[in-house]
Amino acid sequence: MKRLQAAVVALMLGLPAVPASAGEAVNLILNWTPTADHSPYYYAKAQGWYEKAGIDVTIETGKGSGVSAAKVGSGGSPFGVADLATMLVAKSKGADTVAVMSVYANTGQTFYWLKSYGVTGVKDFAGHKIGNPPGDASRVMWPAFAKAAGIAPDSVGFVNVGPTAKIAALKSHTVDIISDFYNEHDLKVIEFGQDLGYVNWKDIGLNLYGNSLIVNGAYLQKHPKVVEDFVRVTQKAFAACVADVAPCLKALLDQVSGLDQANQERQWERIKFLMTDEFTTTKGLGWIDGERMKKDYELVQTYLGMEKPFDVTTAFTTKMLDPAIKMDASKVKK
């Protein structure tokens, strides 16, 4: 009787008769400070898509793929965004991580320099200073790049430069070369014009999977439905942003200060290119191909070594993806 009375009172007051259960609280640690490639997460959250799936997500600013892979691998965050090769290195050191969705099907890793500094290509890197943060994926994977490029890994010096200070460091000649993601390409073109030189890692035969959505392995085993829902909502958000990025960037800019909208729009055009390959357009947006993963593992093992080798098939799964959601290559500008 008391329950009935309470329900009647609640109805009269416009309150829910039964308290709504809180969604599963999860943390998503990004690889870096939020920019256009993170806008789908903010958009999905703003639209209430995660909440509707029973997930209460907190988005945490990252400090490098090495940091996010380590935090997810230790169980400090259920979800994260990390460069996939960096995640493999972390996994060999004991990080309990599984990739569940690729964001960059093509590597975004790119080195930039000014020709006026005496650098005309990778063969000129020796003796120069490269600026990037300690946790930057390109610094972690530098030995692989150096060997593929045919230069000695110890022939360059690294200078700690924050992600937002790279262009300034290059312009002031604090460093001779910087690493950055290809989605930031247009800023350098605008700043340096014809003096700008660059090489994407793909150009020297290193097209490893780039930024990917990763999950803690133990969490995946314990909460497979939550992980599946999180991945599929994220897929849906990325597909929506490919179709029309404007509301996605609005969601990002509403939550993150200091971003230039025009720059983020330019970034997104580059990001769509990085998201597109034969698998993401046919098998599912975010698809991770097993054969490519084997090659990535072999590259990491050859150039960096694995502290504790493991079966690469344990490092990823495509089972959480919705194969009905595919990358729309028609939205990619040539």
Side-chain angles (χ1 to χ4, degrees):
M1 185 67 180
K2 289 182 178 180
R3 286 185 179 181
L4 178 60
Q5 290 175 335
V8 171
V9 171
L11 183 63
M12 291 174 65
L13 294 176
L15 302 172
V18 180
S21 58
E24 173 74 13
V26 303
N27 190 72
L28 169 69
I29 179 171
L30 304 180
N31 56 314
W32 279 128
T33 52
T35 51
D37 57 336
H38 304 117
S39 62
Y41 306 108
Y42 287 90
Y43 179 65
K45 184 173 181 178
Q47 292 295 107
W49 291 350
Y50 289 122
E51 183 180 10
K52 187 176 179 181
I55 302 170
D56 179 15
V57 62
T58 297
I59 302 174
E60 178 185 353
T61 296
K63 296 180 179 179
S65 288
V67 174
S68 57
K71 185 165 185 175
V72 172
S74 67
S77 179
F79 295 95
V81 177
D83 175 80
L84 203 42
T86 304
M87 189 210 81
L88 293 178
V89 173
K91 192 171 182 68
S92 79
K93 296 179 180 179
D96 185 12
T97 51
V98 180
V100 289
M101 174 184 170
S102 74
V103 177
Y104 291 171
N106 299 294
T107 181
Q109 296 295 340
T110 309
F111 282 116
Y112 293 92
W113 61 86
L114 297 187
K115 299 169 188 175
S116 57
Y117 291 171
V119 180
T120 59
V122 295
K123 297 297 183 183
D124 298 325
F125 277 23
H128 289 280
K129 295 180 291 185
I130 300 177
N132 53 23
D136 193 276
S138 63
R139 190 184 293 199
V140 174
M141 289 295 293
W142 165 253
F145 179 93
K147 290 184 180 181
I151 57 179
D154 61 355
S155 65
V156 305
F158 283 97
V159 177
N160 294 338
V161 175
T164 60
K166 290 179 180 179
I167 289 180
L170 186 60
K171 188 174 183 178
S172 66
H173 210 169
T174 302
V175 297
D176 308 302
I177 304 159
I178 58 173
S179 66
D180 214 344
F181 285 122
Y182 181 67
N183 51 286
E184 291 271 13
H185 183 79
D186 295 283
L187 276 182
K188 283 87 170 171
V189 173
I190 293 170
E191 182 68 38
F192 301 113
Q194 293 298 314
D195 195 24
L196 183 70
Y198 67 95
V199 61
N200 182 271
W201 288 35
K202 184 178 180 180
D203 298 333
I204 62 165
L206 289 177
N207 191 25
L208 289 80
Y209 276 113
N211 289 350
S212 300
L213 180 63
I214 65 174
V215 65
N216 176 266
Y219 187 89
L220 173 60
Q221 290 294 320
K222 188 175 180 180
H223 304 284
K225 185 63 168 62
V226 175
V227 175
E228 180 181 73
D229 289 342
F230 189 93
V231 170
R232 294 191 172 202
V233 166
T234 302
Q235 260 188 298
K236 176 183 175 182
F238 269 89
C241 296
V242 167
D244 181 10
V245 75
C248 301
L249 292 183
K250 182 181 185 304
L252 174 71
L253 296 171
D254 283 348
Q255 296 298 318
V256 182
S257 61
L259 296 177
D260 178 75
Q261 183 171 341
N263 178 46
Q264 298 307 308
E265 290 170 352
R266 289 189 293 265
Q267 277 198 38
W268 186 252
E269 291 303 317
R270 304 286 181 176
I271 291 163
K272 288 189 292 184
F273 167 78
L274 295 174
M275 290 171 60
T276 306
D277 75 354
E278 60 183 300
F279 302 105
T280 62
T281 54
T282 60
K283 291 183 174 292
L285 190 155
W287 193 267
I288 302 172
D289 177 61
E291 289 304 312
R292 275 194 64 184
M293 279 296 290
K294 288 179 184 178
K295 292 178 182 177
D296 285 9
Y297 180 90
E298 289 168 2
L299 280 169
V300 173
Q301 187 175 43
T302 298
Y303 294 129
L304 298 179
M306 291 290 186
E307 193 167 305
K308 292 182 180 179
F310 56 90
D311 180 356
V312 71
T313 62
T314 65
F316 73 99
T317 179
T318 56
K319 293 180 179 178
M320 302 294 130
L321 294 168
D322 182 353
I325 302 175
K326 294 179 173 63
M327 177 64 196
D328 185 356
S330 71
K331 298 293 185 180
V332 181
K333 292 183 179 178
K334 304 298 183 182

